Amino acid sequence: MAAKIVIALALFAVAHGAVLRTAAPVAVAPAPVPVLAKTVELEEVDPHPQYTYSYDVQDTLSGDSKGHVEERDGDLVRGEYSLIDADGFKRTVTYTADPVNGFNAVVRREPLAAVVAAEPVVKVAAPLVKAVAPVAPVAAVAPAPIVRSAPLAVAAPLIKSAPLAVATPLVRSAPLAVAAPAPVLRTAAYTTPLRYAAPTYTIANL
């Protein structure tokens, strides 16, 4: 097998060398490159841009509450946005931007619910004991004599039941029959090498 590979490589090297020796250099002139004229369309620039936009979100299901308002007049931009922070405060940012002062923002934070300082509550408790009307004296009565009862009757002994009947033993099935393993049939080695034929395809003109 190794000899076949060496012979194939030697034949390839000879064929490759023969192609290189027979090829003569050919002068190739570069093809002229066409010059394309590119047209550039200039965008019109508004010298005094103006716009106004705003949005507001009030979602009672998720608790999302935010809004934004902004307006532009030339180079001056003014706006304000607000949102609810995670700590329950409402953050409102008011900003301005212009070419002289740059961007300036003022941030305000205020609680959603007004916090009211609780005043100490002092209540005077009502007396727990009410005045009771005087009770008339009760005459002393001699105690009644102690009466002894007869001794308790002893119950008859419990009746014991007959011993439980022992069930017959479980019926066991016969052991499973184990089949002898089938003999493994061996065939003669296949000596002819396998050949693979490439599939053929038919292309229909559509």
Side-chain angles (χ1 to χ4, degrees):
M1 181 70 183
K4 290 180 183 178
I5 293 175
V6 170
I7 292 171
L9 289 176
L11 290 174
F12 177 73
V14 169
H16 187 27
V19 170
L20 289 179
R21 281 190 214 120
T22 58
V26 177
V28 178
V33 178
V35 178
L36 299 177
K38 183 176 181 182
T39 58
V40 178
E41 294 181 16
L42 298 177
E43 294 182 18
E44 292 185 21
V45 177
D46 187 2
H48 191 79
Q50 293 178 334
Y51 66 83
T52 300
Y53 80 91
S54 65
Y55 68 85
D56 190 35
V57 176
Q58 301 297 328
D59 188 0
T60 57
L61 183 64
S62 67
D64 191 14
S65 175
K66 57 189 168 190
H68 190 176
V69 176
E70 183 175 297
E71 65 176 325
R72 179 175 182 177
D73 186 14
D75 291 332
L76 177 63
V77 178
R78 288 186 294 255
E80 177 178 294
Y81 66 89
S82 64
L83 58 109
I84 306 299
D85 285 332
D87 58 358
F89 280 76
K90 180 178 181 182
R91 181 178 6 146
T92 305
V93 178
T94 306
Y95 60 90
T96 59
D98 60 37
V100 176
N101 298 318
F103 181 80
N104 294 309
V106 176
V107 180
R108 292 186 320 268
R109 286 177 41 94
E110 50 199 32
L112 289 179
V115 179
V116 178
E119 296 181 12
V121 178
V122 179
K123 289 186 178 180
V124 178
L128 296 176
V129 180
K130 293 184 178 180
V132 179
V135 180
V138 179
V141 179
I146 297 174
V147 178
R148 295 185 182 227
S149 62
L152 294 175
V154 178
L158 294 175
I159 300 173
K160 293 187 177 180
S161 62
L164 294 175
V166 178
T168 58
L170 295 175
V171 178
R172 295 188 181 202
S173 62
L176 295 174
V178 178
V184 177
L185 299 178
R186 297 186 186 236
T187 59
Y190 186 69
T191 57
T192 307
L194 296 177
R195 298 187 188 270
Y196 176 75
T200 58
Y201 297 102
T202 304
I203 300 175
N205 292 331
L206 300 176

